[in-house]
């Protein structure tokens, strides 16, 4: 059956009127089409590249592609931040491959080299295929990752012109072995950083330091490569590029590619008859609702991708749709998730393009890993975490100038609920900025060790690595990790590899190995920081879409023994948490209240866990645990109110704990709207009378040692953030509080006490004294913005501690 060409308005009407769903559609946004704007090929793009592009249907580049090409050829650091399917790849590939072609005329066949960095292997593999389509075979394009055999690695080092790898391999393989890469680095003309918006938080901060180490070694070999970055649409892409590379950057943001009209719908699943914690009402899950909508769209012959949050959910949505459709349509629905082979991805592409496959349930791996275009509809089971990801997923539909439908289906979560009832937050606000903090001492200190092992650090390197460098070098010397010689250079002193001390994607500490008890097979790892809450004894643990039951967590050996299981319940850790203020960087008077930002110490201890029925959230029982406390030194934003304000808000002291706790939960749920984080990246504590402030205080902190920039973004956007928090609580239709407003899925206290009505009054009295323009009174933070972190000395000393955690209790 060929796909039907039904208008997106008609599709949405069918979805909303079928099965009595008219009350679930909360908003419809109509985005107009956009015509293409072309430009001539810039000077310096080789005829071979132009001819190959014409063979692929590109007679002339779009205007933003041509602008990026010109900037690249001029040696400018440039970031292309345009929409999905806007041809960002051609914008940087054309100048890169043109120069590589020039380099083939050198005596050794590679007078010019280029390095490509991708966050996923699938994206690097696609890039290799695209390069092969545009350039003759004499430009040697090669993958260099963990799967590259040893014999191939030597060939890549000696002969490849365009090397495609990832930040992890650059950090662990290329930079420590730079002497073997010397001929490649000497000729390095370009470094491409693809999907750079994905480098955020602590991971992004690590990648920023890896790029600085690369620049330093290139200079040693006489090269100054031009950095070309590609990003989804984000706020301040030029600033993000500068923080990542340490170089001034030009942003290309005006999208000249054509776009068909898009109907974007916001959808809220209905309440069910079930009740959860504290008797709160429970909505139908976004996953189940997505399965029903995917079924209806496939029945109408609509090519659709449904984005879900986990591999397991992808399989469940596909199975649900297949069961509802029955034969023969069930065979036209499939699941896609990370880990698929390249051949499987290509087959999925072909099946979607041809129309043989009508429905695909996918994790976000499809965002980057498969080149899918021309879809009729996109379903999103829950807000994907950032507006950048939201538009990237929605952009999978409506290419080739035809109309398309995108539907965001809300999860039972404060942020999702807020968004479907406040569409202006999605459609009238700019995309959020990517938050990272390269000067975080917990990030910088181990990279200084790695840099010293690669090449002794000199005084001239201070500007490259950041203002905290001199203090950290002195501390690392005291700890015996670096030694200063008579010439003023700093040397690595240990036998082990310094690069192995850095975990780009974790927050430090030995990762806990997840081992299948019956076979001894290593299934994977989890950050040491998250082990207490996710793989404690008795925990139900999801790993790559499969369910396991943890039999034992051995903290001494960092091993969690698990067995495959299918229990009818999930588990939720219960903990106790305290926060101490180490230092206050800046604060602001909000009338009688005060908003502050600074460094804190968080002490958290997991004391037990609850078992909850999967279908309803009903608590089935509680088990005690005996785990040691963990200490985290990080960054936080906090606010305090006075007793007089509590009196004005009519909040008696016995209702204050519930009011502050509810406001804390909701504010954590809404912070991802203003900072590129997940609620699991942050934590919070509310205290009716905090010993350091002497007042009722609510803290929200980064769940990473030294901070990740999220709490700082909260301080900068506090008026908008806390206003949205207040509105989200007030707008929820429940009576006493539910997962859509003030309940948290990771609350260490069983979501008790919570006082929804008092939380609204508490936030009202706080916001009454907020600055009118919504900006910090000092115009920014001490030290010039997002370059903060715990005091360098405290942070570096904390680096040696084993008791840090990434878990973020609420």
């Amino acid at each position: 059956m060929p796909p039907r060409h039904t208008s997106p308005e008609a599709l949405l009407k069918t979805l909303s009127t079928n099965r009595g769903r008219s009350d679930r559609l909360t908003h419809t946004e109509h985005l107009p089409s956009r015509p293409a704007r072309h430009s001539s090929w810039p000077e310096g793009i080789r005829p071979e590249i132009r001819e190959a592009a014409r063979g692929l249907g590109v007679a002339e580049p779009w205007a933003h592609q041509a602008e990026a090409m010109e900037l690249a050829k001029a040696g400018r650091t440039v970031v292309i931040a345009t929409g999905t399917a806007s041809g960002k790849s051609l914008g940087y590939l054309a100048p890169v491959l043109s120069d590589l072609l020039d380099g083939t005329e050198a005596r050794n066949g590679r007078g010019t080299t280029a390095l490509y960095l991708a966050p996923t292997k699938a994206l690097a593999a696609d890039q290799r295929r695209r390069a092969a389509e545009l350039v003759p075979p004499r430009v040697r394009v090669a993958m260099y990752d963990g799967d590259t055999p040893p014999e191939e690695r030597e060939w890549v080092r000696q002969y490849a012109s365009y090397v495609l790898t990832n930040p992890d391999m650059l950090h662990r393989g290329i930079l420590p072995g730079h002497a073997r890469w010397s001929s490649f680095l000497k000729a390095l003309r370009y470094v491409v950083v693809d999907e750079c918006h994905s480098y955020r938080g602590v991971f992004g901060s690590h990648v920023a330091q890896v790029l600085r180490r690369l620049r330093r070694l290139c200079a040693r070999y006489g090269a100054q490569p031009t950095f070309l970055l590609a990003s989804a649409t984000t706020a301040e892409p030029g600033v993000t590029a500068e923080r990542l590379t340490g170089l001034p950057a030009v942003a290309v943001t005006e999208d000249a590619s054509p776009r068909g009209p898009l109907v974007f719908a916001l959808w809220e699943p209905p309440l069910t008859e079930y009740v959860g914690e504290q008797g709160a009402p429970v909505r139908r899950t976004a996953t189940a609702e997505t399965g029903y909508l995917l079924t209806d769209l496939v029945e109408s012959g609509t090519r659709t991708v449904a984005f879900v949050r986990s591999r397991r959910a992808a399989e469940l949505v596909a199975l649900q749709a297949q069961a509802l459709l029955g034969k023969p349509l069930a065979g036209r629905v499939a699941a896609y998730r990370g880990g698929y082979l390249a051949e499987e991805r290509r087959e999925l592409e072909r099946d979607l393009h041809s129309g043989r496959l009508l429905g695909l349930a996918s994790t976000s791996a499809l965002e980057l890993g498969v080149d899918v275009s021309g879809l009729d509809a996109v379903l999103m089971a829950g807000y994907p975490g950032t507006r950048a990801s939201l538009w990237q997923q929605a952009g999978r539909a409506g290419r080739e100038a035809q109309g398309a439908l995108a539907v965001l289906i809300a999860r039972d979560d404060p942020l999702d609920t807020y968004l479907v009832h406040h569409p202006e937050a999605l459609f009238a606000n700019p995309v959020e900025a990517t938050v990272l903090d390269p000067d975080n001492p917990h990030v910088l200190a181990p990279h200084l060790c790695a840099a010293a092992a690669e090449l002794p650090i000199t005084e001239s390197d201070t500007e490259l690595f950041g203002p905290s460098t001199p203090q950290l070098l002195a501390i690392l010397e005291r700890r015996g990790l670096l030694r200063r010689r008579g010439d003023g250079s700093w040397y690595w002193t240990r036998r082990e590899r310094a690069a192995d001390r850095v975990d780009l994607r974790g927050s430090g500490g030995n990762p806990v190995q997840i081992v299948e008890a019956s076979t001894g097979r290593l299934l994977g790892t989890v950050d040491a920081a998250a082990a207490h809450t996710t793989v404690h004894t008795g925990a139900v643990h999801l790993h790559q879409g499969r369910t396991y039951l943890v039999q034992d967590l051995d903290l001494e050996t960092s091993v969690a023994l698990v067995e495959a299981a299918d229990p009818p319940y999930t588990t939720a850790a219960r903990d106790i948490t305290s926060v101490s203020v180490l230092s206050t960087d800046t604060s602001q008077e909000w009338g009688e209240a005060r908003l502050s930002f600074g460094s804190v110490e968080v002490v958290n201890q997991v004391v037990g866990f609850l078992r909850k029925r999967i279908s309803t959230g009903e608590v089935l029982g509680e088990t005690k645990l005996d785990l040691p406390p963990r200490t985290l030194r990080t960054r936080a934003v906090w606010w305090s109110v006075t007793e007089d304000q509590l009196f004005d808000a009519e909040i008696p002291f016995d209702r204050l704990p519930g009011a502050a706790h509810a406001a804390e939960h909701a504010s954590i749920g809404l912070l991802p709207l203003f900072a590129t984080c997940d609620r699991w990246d942050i934590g919070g504590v509310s205290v009716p009378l905090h010993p350091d402030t002497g007042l009722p205080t609510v803290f929200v902190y980064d769940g990473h040692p030294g901070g990740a920039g999220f709490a700082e973004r909260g301080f900068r956007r506090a008026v908008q953030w806390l206003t949205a928090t207040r509105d989200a609580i007030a707008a929820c239709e429940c009576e006493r509080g539910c997962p859509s407003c003030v309940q948290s899925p990771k609350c260490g206290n069983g979501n008790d006490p919570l006082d929804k009505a008092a939380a609204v009054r508490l936030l009202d009295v706080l916001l009454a004294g907020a600055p009118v323009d919504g900006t910090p009174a000092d115009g920014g933070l001490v030290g010039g913005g997002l370059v903060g972190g715990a005091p360098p000395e405290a942070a570096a000393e904390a680096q040696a501690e084993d008791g840090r955690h990434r878990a973020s209790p609420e």
Side-chain angles (χ1 to χ4, degrees):
M1 179 180 67
R4 297 176 188 168
H5 298 288
T6 307
S7 72
E9 291 84 359
L11 284 176
L12 183 59
K13 184 176 181 180
T14 300
L15 291 180
S16 60
T17 54
N18 275 4
R19 313 176 204 271
R21 298 180 183 141
S22 57
D23 59 338
R24 302 178 200 179
L25 185 62
T26 62
H27 179 78
T28 304
E29 190 81 9
H30 294 267
L31 304 176
S33 60
R34 179 182 61 218
R37 288 188 297 107
H38 291 92
S39 185
S40 301
W41 289 98
E43 292 281 334
I45 302 302
R46 297 263 305 212
E48 298 95 323
I49 304 298
R50 301 183 188 188
E51 200 57 41
R54 287 190 188 94
L56 297 172
V58 181
E60 287 185 316
W62 290 318
H64 66 273
Q65 294 173 320
E67 181 185 357
M69 294 175 198
E70 289 175 346
L71 289 165
K73 293 294 290 183
R76 303 287 297 277
T77 296
V78 58
V79 54
I80 313 170
T82 51
T84 310
S86 60
K88 291 187 284 286
S89 294
L90 182 63
Y92 59 74
L93 273 175
V96 168
L97 297 179
S98 289
D99 280 17
L100 293 181
L101 269 173
D102 291 343
T104 62
E105 297 164 8
R107 181 176 298 177
N108 66 354
R110 66 166 191 177
T112 301
T113 61
L115 185 68
Y116 170 89
L117 299 175
T120 67
K121 289 182 181 179
L123 189 58
D126 277 354
Q127 176 73 191
R128 182 181 187 177
R129 179 173 57 87
R130 287 174 181 167
E133 292 173 341
L134 286 169
V135 75
R138 67 178 186 272
V139 172
R140 298 184 285 263
V141 182
M143 297 278 289
Y144 189 82
D145 58 29
D147 296 332
T148 306
E151 60 274 14
E152 282 189 32
R153 294 187 182 192
E154 182 60 31
W155 183 91
V156 173
R157 284 192 290 266
Q158 294 296 325
Y159 302 108
S161 302
Y162 190 31
V163 174
L164 303 105
T165 187
N166 52 64
D168 310 81
M169 202 67 179
L170 176 61
H171 158 64
R172 292 186 180 277
I174 297 175
L175 298 182
H178 63 88
R180 291 178 294 169
W181 286 85
S182 58
S183 64
F184 180 87
L185 294 174
K186 283 178 184 176
L188 190 61
R189 181 75 56 83
Y190 292 107
V191 177
V192 177
V193 184
D194 206 355
E195 302 293 342
C196 69
H197 61 279
S198 64
Y199 300 126
R200 61 182 184 261
V202 169
F203 178 43
S205 303
H206 276 299
V207 172
Q209 291 299 344
V210 170
L211 295 181
R212 283 158 175 76
R213 285 163 49 203
L214 172 63
R215 287 177 50 208
R216 179 171 173 262
L217 290 176
C218 287
R220 164 68 175 78
Y221 291 106
Q224 288 187 311
T226 297
F227 282 78
L228 309 179
L229 300 93
S231 171
T233 50
T234 65
E236 303 175 337
V239 174
T240 298
E242 289 181 19
R243 290 200 184 112
L244 270 175
T245 64
L247 295 166
V250 181
V252 175
T253 58
E254 193 169 340
D255 196 333
S257 62
R259 183 187 68 191
L262 177 68
V263 175
F264 204 129
L266 305 182
W267 190 282
E268 187 173 41
L271 292 169
T272 67
E273 67 271 21
Y274 302 113
V275 295
E277 280 189 305
Q278 312 301 325
V282 176
R283 291 191 182 278
R284 178 182 291 159
T285 67
T287 302
E289 190 81 349
T290 300
Y292 286 119
L293 297 181
L294 180 61
T295 300
D296 286 359
L297 288 167
V298 170
E299 279 183 335
S300 68
T302 305
R303 282 183 293 181
T304 307
V305 166
F307 284 105
V308 295
R309 299 278 293 218
S310 70
R311 297 181 177 194
R312 186 184 190 189
E315 304 288 356
L316 288 174
V317 168
L319 287 172
Q320 179 184 347
Q322 289 166 353
L324 291 170
L325 288 166
K327 294 182 178 180
L329 281 178
R332 304 184 69 181
V333 175
Y336 176 87
R337 54 179 175 76
Y340 278 26
L341 300 175
E343 299 78 35
E344 294 172 310
R345 294 200 311 273
R346 299 285 87 81
E347 184 178 357
L348 283 171
E349 284 184 42
R350 289 192 298 270
D351 288 346
L352 277 172
H353 282 304
S354 68
R356 192 204 70 78
L357 194 62
L358 283 175
L360 190 67
S362 172
T363 63
S364 60
L366 187 66
E367 258 185 57
L368 306 179
V370 177
D371 183 18
V372 178
S373 62
L375 298 175
D376 303 308
V378 167
L379 303 174
M380 290 166 277
Y383 181 60
T386 66
R387 288 188 288 272
S389 289
L390 180 85
W391 290 111
Q392 194 162 33
Q393 291 182 0
R396 287 294 180 186
R399 303 188 188 187
E400 301 171 5
Q402 83 268 24
L405 172 67
V407 184
L408 173 62
I409 301 145
R411 289 176 299 151
D412 207 0
D413 170 271
L415 179 54
D416 285 41
T417 302
Y418 177 83
L419 290 173
V420 296
H421 290 286
H422 295 80
E424 69 281 359
L426 290 177
F427 302 114
N429 285 336
V431 178
E432 61 276 279
T434 300
V435 176
L436 64 148
D437 180 10
D439 203 45
N440 177 344
H442 287 272
V443 171
L444 177 55
H447 281 285
L448 290 175
C449 292
E454 292 155 6
L455 199 68
I457 294 175
T458 65
E459 296 284 351
S460 61
D461 294 321
T462 300
E463 184 177 353
L464 175 67
F465 287 114
S468 298
T469 302
Q471 292 172 286
L472 288 175
L473 288 172
I475 293 165
L476 293 168
E477 182 183 24
R478 287 204 301 270
R479 290 177 53 199
L481 294 171
L482 297 182
R483 178 183 302 163
R484 192 172 195 183
R485 295 188 178 174
D487 62 359
S489 299
W490 303 86
Y491 289 76
W492 172 245
T493 62
R494 304 294 181 89
R495 289 185 176 181
E496 69 266 23
R497 282 166 41 100
D500 292 340
R501 299 174 65 90
V502 187
D503 178 9
L504 296 192
R505 298 174 187 266
S507 58
N510 293 325
V512 173
Q513 296 183 313
I514 304 170
V515 177
E516 194 168 34
S518 59
T519 64
R521 182 167 60 103
L522 178 65
L523 301 176
T525 61
V526 64
D527 287 349
H532 286 211
T533 53
T534 59
V535 290
H536 58 74
T537 301
V540 174
H541 182 67
L542 266 178
H543 181 73
Q544 294 191 347
R546 302 176 184 87
T547 307
Y548 296 88
L549 199 59
V550 180
Q551 296 183 335
D552 182 58
L553 171 61
D554 188 331
L555 295 176
E556 290 187 7
T557 61
S558 295
V559 171
L561 295 175
V562 303
E563 281 292 4
D566 192 21
Y569 59 85
T570 61
T571 53
R574 289 291 171 258
D575 54 35
I576 52 176
T577 306
S578 62
V579 174
S580 301
V581 176
L582 298 177
S583 63
T584 302
D585 281 19
T586 187
S587 61
Q588 182 179 22
E589 301 291 340
W590 280 21
E592 294 180 34
R594 178 180 289 271
L595 178 78
S596 302
F597 172 79
S599 299
V600 298
E601 182 174 83
V602 181
V603 179
N604 169 255
Q605 184 174 19
V606 174
V607 296
F609 67 94
L610 298 181
R611 295 185 303 280
K612 299 181 181 180
R613 195 182 303 279
I614 292 176
S615 58
T616 65
E618 175 189 356
V619 176
L620 302 176
E622 182 173 1
T623 302
K624 301 296 183 185
L625 292 171
D626 184 19
L627 289 168
R630 300 179 71 86
T631 300
L632 169 72
R633 293 178 182 177
T634 186
R635 308 285 269 167
V637 55
W638 63 91
W639 49 269
S640 304
V641 295
T642 65
E643 289 187 19
D644 287 344
Q645 287 179 298
L646 294 177
F647 180 80
D648 293 340
E650 300 180 0
I651 301 175
F653 194 79
D654 61 334
R655 294 185 66 180
L656 176 59
H661 194 199
E664 171 217 326
H665 278 188
S667 63
I668 288 173
L670 269 293
L671 183 55
L673 190 61
F674 301 92
T676 46
C677 65
D678 187 275
R679 74 179 297 152
W680 298 89
D681 290 322
I682 50 181
V685 173
S686 53
V687 186
L689 187 64
H690 193 272
D692 293 330
T693 65
L695 295 168
T697 306
V698 172
F699 293 84
V700 175
Y701 60 84
D702 292 347
H704 299 266
F710 306 136
E712 184 168 349
R713 179 66 61 171
F715 179 86
R716 285 176 170 274
R717 300 292 303 280
V719 175
Q720 298 92 328
W721 166 41
L722 294 174
T723 299
T725 299
R726 183 262 175 216
D727 293 346
I729 302 173
C732 186
E733 60 193 275
C734 73
E735 291 185 14
R736 299 171 51 205
C738 70
S740 292
C741 58
V742 298
Q743 287 195 351
S744 167
K746 60 192 185 81
C747 179
N749 300 303
N751 284 300
D752 183 49
L754 292 174
D755 192 323
K756 175 184 173 180
V760 174
R761 297 200 298 275
L762 179 61
L763 288 166
D764 278 339
V765 76
L766 170 70
L767 289 163
V772 176
D773 62 357
T775 58
D778 59 1
L781 299 183
V782 175
L786 288 173
V787 292
E793 184 153 354
E797 298 299 342
Q799 184 76 11
E801 296 178 6
D802 293 325
R804 69 176 96 127
H805 70 283
R806 181 180 177 276
S808 42
E810 298 187 28

